[in-house]
C-alpha cells in the first residue's frame, strides 16, 4: 500500500480471505501430488502438475500479501504503529466468520473484558481487533459496560486526544478506548443491551448540577471515531444534545464556538449530525423537531452546515420513514425563510430531486402525474427553487433531476398513449425549475457584479433564460405564454415588446417540437399500442431505419407542413391530444 492512497478494509473479512487463500494453496498442492501419481501410472506426457504447482504458489503469495495488510492495519488501529495513510477507513460492520463459533466469540469477549479490567490494554485491543465485528462477541462485551464505564472510556479518550506529541502508551490507550466504542456500537445496531445515549446523559445529570447542555459535550466523543450507532441511539443524541445545544447557541447570539472541542475546534453538534446522516430513519426522526432550532444559519455550525445538509438529504429521502413528510416540511421552511448556511444550502437540489413532480403550479395539481408531495404550496415551492439555484451545485442538481424526471415520465406516457395535459405538467415543472435557475443565476451574477442591475443586462439575462429552457430539449416553455414568462422575471424590470414577440415565436416553435418528441416516443411502441395503424405518417417523416423523424430534422418546409397536418389528423381522430394544436383553425395546423 502506498503512502498517499485511500485504504478501505474490513479486517475480519480480509483476515478470513487470507485464510481461505492459504487453504486453497494447500488444496492445490495436494492436487498436484495426486496428479503426479496418476501421470506416473498412466505414462502420459503432461504439464498439469507444473501448472497446479504454479497456481498453488501464486495463491500462497496472495495469501501472504493479504495477511500482511491485515497485520499492518491492526497495528495502526491498535496504536502500535502510526498511520502513514492519507485516508484509512476500517469497516466494523457486524460479520460472522466461518472460522469462528458463537462460543468462541463469547469466550473471547470474556477474556477481553478481563484484560480491560486489569489494565492490559494491549491484550484487550488485540482481542477486540480480532473479534469486534462478531455479533456474539460484541453483545457479550457490551453486557459488561455500564453507563459509568462508558463515561470513563470517554474521559480517558479525551485525556489522550488532547496530548501533543502523543506517546506510544497514550496511542495504545486511545486505540483501546476506540475499540470499546466500536464493540458497543456493533452491539447497539444488533439490538443488544447497551447503555443508551439518554442513560449516559442521565448519569452526567446525576454528577453535575444545573441544566446547561454544554455539560453533555464529552458525549460527542461517542461520534468522533469511525463507528455507527443504532437508530434509537442516534435519535436520542439529536434530541437530547443537538437541539438543546442549538437553543443555547441561539440564546447566546449565535455563538457556535460554545460547542467546539478543545484543541481542534471541531463543532460537537456537527460531529453528532454527521453520524445521524448515515442513518435515514434517524435523520428523518431528527427533522421531525422544530426546524427553527435545526436549520437557520444563525446556529453557526462549525462546518458551515455540511453535516446538516447530509441530514436534510438523508432524512427527506423517499426511503426514510416519513421521508416525504419531512421533505414537505423542509421545503416549506426553506421557501418561507431562505436562511441556511452555505454547505446546507448547496444540497437543496438533491433534497428536491425525488419530489420534482410536485413543483407545479396550482392549476396543474389535478392532473394525475407524479405528485409525491401534493400538499406542497406552489408559492413556497417556487421560492425554494429560486433559493436553491443561488448556488452552482444547486443549479446543476436541479437541472440533472429535471432531465431524469421528465425523461422517466415521458417514457411512461409513451407506453400508455399521449395526453398533452400530462405533458403540460412536465412543461410547467420544467418552467418553474428554469425560472428558479434564472433567478438564482441572476442573484449569483448580482453578487459578483452589482452593475447587473442595469436594464440591458437584465433583459439579456431574461433572453438567456429562454435559451436555457430551449436547450433543455423537452420544451419547458411550451405551456407558458410570453406574458407569463415576463411575469416570472423580476417584476420591476420592464421588458420591451420585441422580446415578448420573440418569446411568443419561440413558444409556438417549442410547442410543435414538444408534441413531435412525444409522438416519436409513442411511435417507438407502435407494435404494442397499434395507435398508428389507421393513420400512418407520410413517408418523408420516417427515417430509413424506421424511426420517426423529429421536427428539428425536417429541413424541407414541405415536410414540416406534412408533419403539422399529420399531427392535426391524429388529434382530430382522438389518437392523441396535442398541446400545440390551433383549435380555432383545424386546417392550418400548429406552429408560428
Amino acid at each position: 500500500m502506498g503512502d498517499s492512497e485511500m485504504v478501505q478494509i474490513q479486517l475480519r473479512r480480509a483476515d478470513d480471505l487470507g485464510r481461505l487463500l492459504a487453504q486453497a494453496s494447500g488444496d492445490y498442492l495436494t492436487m498436484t501430488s495426486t496428479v503426479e501419481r496418476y501421470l506416473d501410472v498412466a505414462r502420459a506426457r503432461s504439464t498439469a502438475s507444473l501448472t497446479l504447482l504454479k497456481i498453488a504458489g501464486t495463491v500462497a503469495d496472495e495469501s501472504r500479501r493479504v495477511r500482511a495488510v491485515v497485520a499492518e492495519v491492526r497495528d495502526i488501529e491498535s496504536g502500535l504503529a502510526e498511520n502513514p495513510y492519507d485516508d484509512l477507513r476500517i469497516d466494523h460492520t457486524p460479520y460472522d466468520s466461518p472460522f469462528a463459533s458463537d462460543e468462541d466469540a463469547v469466550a473471547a469477549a470474556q477474556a477481553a473484558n478481563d484484560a480491560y479490567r486489569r489494565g492490559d490494554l494491549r491484550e484487550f485491543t488485540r482481542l477486540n481487533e480480532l473479534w469486534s465485528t462478531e455479533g456474539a462477541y460484541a453483545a457479550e462485551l457490551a453486557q459488561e459496560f455500564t453507563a459509568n464505564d462508558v463515561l470513563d472510556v470517554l474521559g480517558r479518550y479525551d485525556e489522550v486526544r488532547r496530548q501533543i506529541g502523543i506517546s506510544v502508551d497514550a496511542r495504545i490507550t486511545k486505540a483501546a478506548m476506540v475499540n470499546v466504542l466500536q464493540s458497543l456500537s456493533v452491539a447497539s445496531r444488533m439490538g443488544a443491551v447497551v447503555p443508551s445515549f439518554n442513560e449516559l446523559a442521565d448519569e452526567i445529570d446525576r454528577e453535575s448540577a444545573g441544566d446547561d447542555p454544554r455539560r453533555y459535550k464529552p458525549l460527542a466523543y461517542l461520534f468522533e471515531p469511525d463507528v455507527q450507532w443504532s437508530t434509537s441511539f442516534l435519535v436520542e443524541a439529536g434530541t437530547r444534545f443537538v437541539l438543546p445545544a442549538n437553543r443555547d447557541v441561539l440564546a447566546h447570539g449565535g455563538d457556535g464556538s460554545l460547542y467546539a472541542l478543545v484543541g481542534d475546534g471541531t463543532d460537537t453538534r456537527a460531529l453528532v449530525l454527521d453520524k445521524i446522516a448515515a442513518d435515514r430513519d434517524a435523520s428523518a426522526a431528527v427533522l421531525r423537531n422544530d426546524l427553527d432550532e435545526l436549520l437557520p444559519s444563525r446556529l453557526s455550525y462549525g462546518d458551515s452546515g455540511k453535516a446538516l445538509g447530509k441530514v436534510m438529504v438523508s432524512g427527506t429521502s423517499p426511503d426514510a420513514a416519513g421521508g416525504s413528510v419531512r421533505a414537505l416540511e423542509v421545503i416549506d421552511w426553506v421557501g418561507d425563510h431562505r436562511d441556511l448556511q452555505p454547505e446546507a444550502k448547496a444540497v437543496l437540489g438533491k433534497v428536491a430531486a425525488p419530489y420534482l413532480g410536485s413543483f407545479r403550479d396550482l392549476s396543474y395539481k389535478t392532473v394525475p402525474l407524479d405528485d409525491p408531495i401534493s400538499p406542497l404550496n406552489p408559492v413556497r415551492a417556487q421560492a425554494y427553487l429560486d433559493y436553491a439555484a443561488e448556488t452552482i451545485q444547486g443549479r446543476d442538481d436541479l437541472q440533472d433531476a429535471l432531465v431524469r424526471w421528465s425523461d422517466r415520465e415521458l417514457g411512461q406516457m409513451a407506453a400508455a398513449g399521449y395526453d398533452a395535459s400530462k405533458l403540460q405538467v412536465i412543461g410547467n415543472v420544467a418552467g418553474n425549475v428554469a425560472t428558479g435557475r434564472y433567478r438564482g443565476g441572476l442573484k449569483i451574477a448580482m453578487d459578483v457584479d452589482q452593475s447587473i442591475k442595469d436594464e440591458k443586462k437584465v433583459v439579456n439575462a431574461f433572453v438567456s433564460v429562454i435559451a436555457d429552457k430551449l436547450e433543455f430539449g423537452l420544451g419547458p416553455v411550451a405551456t407558458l405564454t410570453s406574458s407569463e414568462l415576463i411575469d416570472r422575471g423580476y417584476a420591476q424590470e420592464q421588458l420591451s415588446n420585441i422580446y415578448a414577440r420573440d418569446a411568443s415565436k419561440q413558444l409556438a416553435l417549442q410547442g410543435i417540437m414538444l408534441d413531435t418528441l412525444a409522438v416519436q416516443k409513442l411511435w417507438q411502441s407502435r407494435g404494442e399500442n397499434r395507435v398508428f395503424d389507421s393513420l400512418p405518417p407520410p413517408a418523408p417523416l420516417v427515417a430509413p431505419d424506421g424511426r420517426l423523424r423529429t421536427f428539428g430534422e425536417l429541413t424541407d418546409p414541405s415536410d414540416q407542413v406534412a408533419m403539422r397536418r399529420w399531427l392535426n389528423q391524429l388529434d382530430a381522430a382522438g389518437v392523441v391530444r396535442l398541446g400545440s394544436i390551433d383549435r380555432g383553425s383545424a386546417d392550418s395546423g400548429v406552429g408560428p
Side-chain angles (χ1 to χ4, degrees):
M1 296 189 296
D3 289 355
S4 62
E5 64 183 307
M6 189 275 281
V7 179
Q8 185 164 352
I9 189 170
Q10 214 280 2
L11 281 176
R12 193 60 189 271
R13 282 186 174 88
D15 189 43
D16 283 355
L17 174 61
R19 292 189 187 190
L20 288 170
L21 289 173
Q23 283 186 357
S25 176
D27 291 341
Y28 274 110
L29 285 174
T30 301
M31 193 183 303
T32 299
S33 300
T34 303
V35 168
E36 285 179 341
R37 288 199 301 274
Y38 273 82
L39 289 175
D40 285 343
V41 173
R43 304 293 182 181
R45 296 173 59 85
S46 173
T47 60
S49 59
L50 182 59
T51 301
L52 290 171
L53 189 61
K54 289 180 179 179
I55 293 174
T58 300
V59 173
D61 288 343
E62 291 301 321
S63 173
R64 284 190 288 271
R65 289 190 185 96
V66 169
R67 301 185 87 166
V69 170
V70 170
E72 179 186 12
V73 175
R74 276 188 173 144
D75 283 348
I76 293 170
E77 194 176 27
S78 65
L80 295 174
E82 293 187 10
N83 179 12
Y85 303 106
D86 293 337
D87 192 1
L88 175 61
R89 303 176 189 177
I90 304 173
D91 181 5
H92 296 280
T93 303
Y95 162 70
D96 291 325
S97 169
F99 293 100
S101 66
D102 285 350
E103 291 76 13
D104 293 335
V106 168
Q110 293 168 349
N113 182 59
D114 289 343
Y116 181 83
R117 302 298 172 183
R118 67 174 183 267
D120 189 350
L121 297 184
R122 289 197 183 201
E123 176 62 10
F124 167 77
T125 303
R126 184 189 72 81
L127 288 167
N128 208 68
E129 292 291 347
L130 286 170
W131 293 93
S132 63
T133 55
E134 291 286 337
Y137 173 91
E140 178 69 20
L141 187 65
Q143 292 182 22
E144 305 296 333
F145 278 78
T146 65
N148 254 325
D149 289 331
V150 177
L151 293 179
D152 177 65
V153 167
L154 297 179
R156 297 172 74 179
Y157 179 84
D158 179 37
E159 182 181 346
V160 295
R161 181 185 181 279
R162 287 193 263 175
Q163 290 184 16
I164 299 174
I166 190 168
S167 66
V168 173
D169 286 344
R171 197 162 62 232
I172 290 172
T173 298
K174 181 180 178 181
M177 301 308 108
V178 170
N179 269 268
V180 172
L181 299 181
Q182 285 167 349
S183 292
L184 293 178
S185 69
V186 169
S188 80
R189 281 177 284 159
M190 293 172 48
V193 178
V194 178
S196 68
F197 188 91
N198 281 340
E199 288 172 339
L200 297 174
D202 290 343
E203 193 65 36
I204 290 176
D205 289 346
R206 281 190 283 271
E207 296 176 2
S208 59
D211 58 359
D212 186 347
R214 273 165 270 176
R215 67 188 185 279
Y216 298 138
K217 278 173 63 175
L219 296 180
Y221 291 130
L222 292 162
F223 306 93
E224 187 175 50
D226 185 18
V227 296
Q228 187 63 31
W229 298 90
S230 68
T231 299
S232 60
F233 194 98
L234 294 169
V235 173
E236 288 179 0
T239 54
R240 185 73 177 264
F241 173 63
V242 176
L243 290 170
N246 283 351
R247 289 193 286 271
D248 187 35
V249 168
L250 292 175
H252 287 82
D255 184 4
S257 66
L258 294 172
Y259 288 87
L261 289 175
V262 175
D264 59 12
T266 300
D267 190 327
T268 50
R269 299 168 300 159
L271 272 179
V272 178
L273 287 174
D274 191 63
K275 286 297 189 292
I276 290 173
D279 186 314
R280 288 173 176 160
D281 291 344
S283 297
V286 170
L287 288 173
R288 287 186 63 184
N289 293 279
D290 188 349
L291 295 181
D292 288 337
E293 297 178 349
L294 194 63
L295 302 187
S297 63
R298 61 186 181 279
L299 287 168
S300 306
Y301 292 113
D303 63 347
S304 298
K306 185 174 183 179
L308 173 63
K310 292 179 181 179
V311 170
M312 290 165 62
V313 174
S314 177
T316 60
S317 165
D319 297 327
S324 61
V325 178
R326 304 289 83 80
L328 177 62
E329 293 166 351
V330 168
I331 293 167
D332 278 349
W333 189 96
V334 172
D336 282 340
H337 296 83
R338 299 166 64 100
D339 177 34
L340 294 170
Q341 284 185 277
E343 294 287 348
K345 183 178 179 180
V347 306
L348 291 180
K350 291 183 173 66
V351 171
Y355 307 102
L356 212 58
S358 295
F359 285 80
R360 64 180 76 175
D361 292 347
L362 190 61
S363 58
Y364 296 99
K365 283 291 185 180
T366 58
V367 179
L369 184 76
D370 182 50
D371 192 5
I373 46 175
S374 57
L376 180 60
N377 178 282
V379 175
R380 290 194 183 107
Q382 188 62 60
Y384 179 97
L385 292 174
D386 296 350
Y387 185 61
E390 289 179 6
T391 68
I392 299 299
Q393 186 64 56
R395 287 169 59 80
D396 291 346
D397 287 341
L398 286 173
Q399 186 72 352
D400 289 345
L402 180 59
V403 171
R404 290 193 299 271
W405 173 77
S406 56
D407 185 63
R408 184 191 74 206
E409 296 304 318
L410 275 174
Q412 291 175 354
M413 275 190 281
Y418 174 52
D419 181 349
S421 65
K422 292 183 178 180
L423 193 61
Q424 287 170 351
V425 174
I426 295 178
N428 179 247
V429 171
N432 291 341
V433 170
T435 298
R437 295 181 76 243
Y438 156 60
R439 290 175 176 168
L442 190 59
K443 174 67 165 57
I444 293 172
M446 290 174 66
D447 288 343
V448 174
D449 180 4
Q450 290 300 312
S451 68
I452 197 71
K453 294 177 181 178
D454 175 78
E455 182 179 357
K456 181 179 178 181
K457 290 188 177 182
V458 173
V459 169
N460 288 338
F462 174 72
V463 173
S464 72
V465 76
I466 295 177
D468 187 27
K469 292 179 178 184
L470 293 176
E471 181 184 348
F472 175 60
L474 293 176
V477 299
T479 59
L480 303 175
T481 66
S482 57
S483 61
E484 283 178 317
L485 277 172
I486 293 173
D487 289 342
R488 288 170 183 273
Y490 276 29
Q492 67 270 27
E493 304 294 345
Q494 298 300 314
L495 301 180
S496 63
N497 288 334
I498 185 170
Y499 287 109
R501 286 196 300 273
D502 286 345
S504 181
K505 291 179 182 178
Q506 295 289 1
L507 286 168
L509 176 61
Q510 279 297 93
I512 179 66
M513 292 179 72
L514 192 57
D515 278 337
T516 307
L517 180 63
V519 172
Q520 184 188 44
K521 282 187 171 286
L522 194 61
W523 173 260
Q524 292 172 357
S525 305
R526 62 190 181 280
E528 292 79 31
N529 56 47
R530 318 297 302 183
V531 298
F532 299 104
D533 288 357
S534 59
L535 281 172
L541 306 186
V542 181
D545 60 1
R547 175 180 52 83
L548 186 67
R549 298 183 191 274
T550 63
F551 192 80
E553 293 179 76
L554 304 177
T555 56
D556 189 327
S558 63
D559 291 341
Q560 294 181 1
V561 171
M563 174 66 82
R564 294 176 182 181
R565 287 177 176 168
W566 181 58
L567 291 177
N568 264 334
Q569 293 169 354
L570 291 173
D571 185 85
V575 174
V576 295
R577 182 165 179 79
L578 304 175
S580 58
I581 294 292
D582 180 1
R583 304 194 185 279
S585 175
D587 202 31
S588 61
V590 294

